[in-house]
Amino acid sequence: MHENKEENIIVSLPGEFIHRIEQDLNKITSSIPDILSSHYEFLKDEWNYSNAFEFLVGMMVGNCQFSYIQAFDQIYEKMPTGDQTEEIHNMISRRKVDFEQGVSAFLEENNIK
Amino acid sequence: MHENKEENIIVSLPGEFIHRIEQDLNKITSSIPDILSSHYEFLKDEWNYSNAFEFLVGMMVGNCQFSYIQAFDQIYEKMPTGDQTEEIHNMISRRKVDFEQGVSAFLEENNIK
């Protein structure tokens, strides 16, 4: 008897959800300089980080991670599986250059190094 | 005639919401080493950051920022005002040392510098 091995089934993200995230990533990454402008003075004073670039990239990534996992839970009324969570993280990290360029553009515009 | 000036009215966060955030911040900051352990190898490969400490602190902070703004929206069925958003950010940044200690503990446990 041949059994399907459950662990081999790949449960990927629904296409409509992938599309939604891609659209949001386009919007977020192109808005990074505006998003940061409204908070930067406050963030700088409060966090006093040694490396603004890494902190701000990490912060924007963290906002997206939670946002998309939360969105999945709301739309499908369940949390994403481990594989789906990794796929969400992958979609965000494929935009690494866009996140980094957005933060760099903000820092350059404001003469922050 | 004496008028109340709207801009002077301080609309702060509801006490029950503040309590909820404080409880969550206790939980999150004490779980940082565990949270990062499950993602670190992946994050490191994908992001290839130059400063792990700042990136990871920023990422955890970003997760909390979005999480609490989203929670406010769900509970009260409206987005927090600008002042309330700043208050949420303040509550997170008052835990600066806890975030930093959590990330440092993780990096030390795993011999990452």
Side-chain angles (χ1 to χ4, degrees):
Chain A
M1 193 174 113
H2 184 74
E3 287 183 351
N4 278 329
K5 286 188 183 166
E6 265 210 336
E7 62 265 38
N8 287 337
I9 296 173
I10 294 168
V11 183
S12 62
L13 293 171
E16 58 177 7
F17 188 74
I18 292 176
H19 180 70
R20 194 189 172 106
I21 292 190
E22 292 292 358
Q23 296 292 100
D24 193 75
L25 283 167
N26 290 341
K27 200 173 118 193
I28 291 283
T29 53
S30 62
S31 312
I32 287 177
D34 290 337
I35 296 169
L36 293 180
S37 291
S38 57
H39 294 307
Y40 184 72
E41 282 303 316
F42 168 76
L43 286 168
K44 188 186 61 175
D45 291 346
E46 293 294 320
W47 287 93
N48 192 27
Y49 29 72
S50 60
N51 187 315
F53 177 78
E54 294 286 353
F55 179 90
L56 295 172
V57 171
M59 194 187 78
M60 294 308 305
V61 166
N63 269 285
C64 288
Q65 286 169 344
F66 191 88
S67 164
Y68 301 150
I69 287 167
Q70 187 78 357
F72 187 96
D73 185 30
Q74 281 183 335
I75 296 168
Y76 303 106
E77 296 180 342
K78 59 184 175 191
M79 289 298 281
T81 63
D83 282 349
Q84 287 171 327
T85 302
E86 192 169 321
E87 210 178 322
I88 290 172
H89 281 227
N90 273 325
M91 290 185 69
I92 299 170
S93 62
R94 274 200 290 275
R95 299 299 189 92
K96 179 179 192 284
V97 174
D98 298 330
F99 277 96
E100 292 178 345
Q101 281 179 348
V103 172
S104 290
F106 166 75
L107 296 175
E108 277 165 29
E109 274 167 26
N110 294 277
N111 269 321
I112 303 160
K113 59 168 193 164
Chain B
M1 193 174 114
H2 184 74
E3 285 181 352
N4 278 328
K5 285 187 185 170
E6 266 208 336
E7 63 264 39
N8 287 337
I9 297 172
I10 295 168
V11 184
S12 62
L13 294 171
E16 57 176 10
F17 188 74
I18 292 176
H19 180 70
R20 195 190 171 106
I21 292 190
E22 292 291 358
Q23 295 293 100
D24 193 75
L25 282 167
N26 289 341
K27 199 174 121 195
I28 292 282
T29 53
S30 60
S31 313
I32 287 176
D34 291 337
I35 297 169
L36 294 179
S37 290
S38 57
H39 294 307
Y40 185 71
E41 281 305 314
F42 168 77
L43 285 168
K44 186 186 62 177
D45 291 347
E46 292 296 319
W47 287 95
N48 192 28
Y49 30 68
S50 60
N51 187 316
F53 177 77
E54 293 286 352
F55 179 90
L56 296 172
V57 172
M59 194 188 79
M60 294 307 305
V61 166
N63 269 286
C64 289
Q65 287 169 344
F66 191 87
S67 164
Y68 301 150
I69 287 166
Q70 187 78 357
F72 187 96
D73 186 29
Q74 282 183 336
I75 297 168
Y76 303 105
E77 295 180 342
K78 60 184 176 192
M79 291 297 281
T81 63
D83 282 347
Q84 288 171 327
T85 301
E86 195 171 318
E87 210 177 324
I88 290 171
H89 282 227
N90 274 325
M91 288 184 70
I92 299 170
S93 61
R94 272 198 291 274
R95 298 298 189 96
K96 181 179 190 284
V97 173
D98 298 330
F99 278 95
E100 292 177 345
Q101 282 180 347
V103 172
S104 290
F106 166 75
L107 295 175
E108 277 164 29
E109 274 166 27
N110 293 277
N111 268 321
I112 303 159
K113 56 168 192 162

mmCIF file of all heavy atoms in Angstrom, chain B residues 33 100-110:
data_model
loop_
_atom_site.group_PDB
_atom_site.id
_atom_site.type_symbol
_atom_site.label_atom_id
_atom_site.label_comp_id
_atom_site.label_asym_id
_atom_site.label_seq_id
_atom_site.Cartn_x
_atom_site.Cartn_y
_atom_site.Cartn_z
ATOM 1 N N PRO B 33 15.366 35.666 23.199
ATOM 2 C CA PRO B 33 16.318 34.629 22.760
ATOM 3 C C PRO B 33 15.618 33.448 22.071
ATOM 4 O O PRO B 33 16.105 32.939 21.061
ATOM 5 C CB PRO B 33 16.998 34.212 24.066
ATOM 6 C CG PRO B 33 16.925 35.430 24.938
ATOM 7 C CD PRO B 33 15.568 36.024 24.620
ATOM 8 N N GLU B 100 17.339 45.319 24.308
ATOM 9 C CA GLU B 100 18.771 45.183 24.046
ATOM 10 C C GLU B 100 19.365 43.999 24.812
ATOM 11 O O GLU B 100 20.183 43.253 24.264
ATOM 12 C CB GLU B 100 19.490 46.499 24.404
ATOM 13 C CG GLU B 100 19.083 47.622 23.444
ATOM 14 C CD GLU B 100 19.702 48.965 23.767
ATOM 15 O OE1 GLU B 100 20.226 49.136 24.879
ATOM 16 O OE2 GLU B 100 19.647 49.859 22.906
ATOM 17 N N GLN B 101 18.929 43.813 26.058
ATOM 18 C CA GLN B 101 19.446 42.684 26.841
ATOM 19 C C GLN B 101 19.016 41.356 26.239
ATOM 20 O O GLN B 101 19.779 40.402 26.217
ATOM 21 C CB GLN B 101 18.977 42.788 28.303
ATOM 22 C CG GLN B 101 19.795 43.801 29.099
ATOM 23 C CD GLN B 101 19.336 43.918 30.545
ATOM 24 O OE1 GLN B 101 18.261 43.434 30.904
ATOM 25 N NE2 GLN B 101 20.131 44.589 31.360
ATOM 26 N N GLY B 102 17.766 41.292 25.733
ATOM 27 C CA GLY B 102 17.281 40.057 25.113
ATOM 28 C C GLY B 102 18.098 39.695 23.880
ATOM 29 O O GLY B 102 18.492 38.539 23.693
ATOM 30 N N VAL B 103 18.368 40.694 23.035
ATOM 31 C CA VAL B 103 19.146 40.438 21.818
ATOM 32 C C VAL B 103 20.593 40.090 22.182
ATOM 33 O O VAL B 103 21.166 39.141 21.635
ATOM 34 C CB VAL B 103 19.093 41.643 20.840
ATOM 35 C CG1 VAL B 103 20.048 41.452 19.670
ATOM 36 C CG2 VAL B 103 17.668 41.849 20.323
ATOM 37 N N SER B 104 21.157 40.817 23.145
ATOM 38 C CA SER B 104 22.534 40.521 23.581
ATOM 39 C C SER B 104 22.635 39.111 24.129
ATOM 40 O O SER B 104 23.600 38.393 23.842
ATOM 41 C CB SER B 104 22.989 41.479 24.691
ATOM 42 O OG SER B 104 23.163 42.764 24.178
ATOM 43 N N ALA B 105 21.655 38.704 24.947
ATOM 44 C CA ALA B 105 21.679 37.361 25.537
ATOM 45 C C ALA B 105 21.676 36.318 24.427
ATOM 46 O O ALA B 105 22.440 35.352 24.465
ATOM 47 C CB ALA B 105 20.474 37.157 26.455
ATOM 48 N N PHE B 106 20.826 36.534 23.413
ATOM 49 C CA PHE B 106 20.775 35.596 22.292
ATOM 50 C C PHE B 106 22.117 35.538 21.569
ATOM 51 O O PHE B 106 22.636 34.452 21.285
ATOM 52 C CB PHE B 106 19.661 35.985 21.312
ATOM 53 C CG PHE B 106 19.782 35.281 20.010
ATOM 54 C CD1 PHE B 106 19.425 33.943 19.902
ATOM 55 C CD2 PHE B 106 20.306 35.919 18.891
ATOM 56 C CE1 PHE B 106 19.577 33.255 18.707
ATOM 57 C CE2 PHE B 106 20.448 35.244 17.696
ATOM 58 C CZ PHE B 106 20.092 33.914 17.602
ATOM 59 N N LEU B 107 22.688 36.690 21.270
ATOM 60 C CA LEU B 107 23.955 36.737 20.521
ATOM 61 C C LEU B 107 25.083 36.084 21.327
ATOM 62 O O LEU B 107 25.903 35.352 20.767
ATOM 63 C CB LEU B 107 24.314 38.184 20.149
ATOM 64 C CG LEU B 107 23.346 38.890 19.175
ATOM 65 C CD1 LEU B 107 23.742 40.355 18.991
ATOM 66 C CD2 LEU B 107 23.299 38.188 17.820
ATOM 67 N N GLU B 108 25.085 36.337 22.634
ATOM 68 C CA GLU B 108 26.132 35.745 23.488
ATOM 69 C C GLU B 108 25.989 34.226 23.581
ATOM 70 O O GLU B 108 26.963 33.500 23.435
ATOM 71 C CB GLU B 108 26.109 36.362 24.886
ATOM 72 C CG GLU B 108 26.872 37.681 24.947
ATOM 73 C CD GLU B 108 26.550 38.494 26.196
ATOM 74 O OE1 GLU B 108 26.223 37.892 27.235
ATOM 75 O OE2 GLU B 108 26.603 39.743 26.103
ATOM 76 N N GLU B 109 24.750 33.774 23.812
ATOM 77 C CA GLU B 109 24.494 32.321 23.902
ATOM 78 C C GLU B 109 24.966 31.596 22.643
ATOM 79 O O GLU B 109 25.355 30.439 22.684
ATOM 80 C CB GLU B 109 22.982 32.044 24.013
ATOM 81 C CG GLU B 109 22.433 32.091 25.427
ATOM 82 C CD GLU B 109 20.914 32.159 25.437
ATOM 83 O OE1 GLU B 109 20.276 31.680 24.471
ATOM 84 O OE2 GLU B 109 20.367 32.714 26.405
ATOM 85 N N ASN B 110 24.870 32.273 21.514
ATOM 86 C CA ASN B 110 25.198 31.642 20.244
ATOM 87 C C ASN B 110 26.546 32.081 19.681
ATOM 88 O O ASN B 110 26.838 31.814 18.507
ATOM 89 C CB ASN B 110 24.072 31.909 19.233
ATOM 90 C CG ASN B 110 22.798 31.216 19.645
ATOM 91 O OD1 ASN B 110 22.608 30.031 19.387
ATOM 92 N ND2 ASN B 110 21.933 31.956 20.346
#
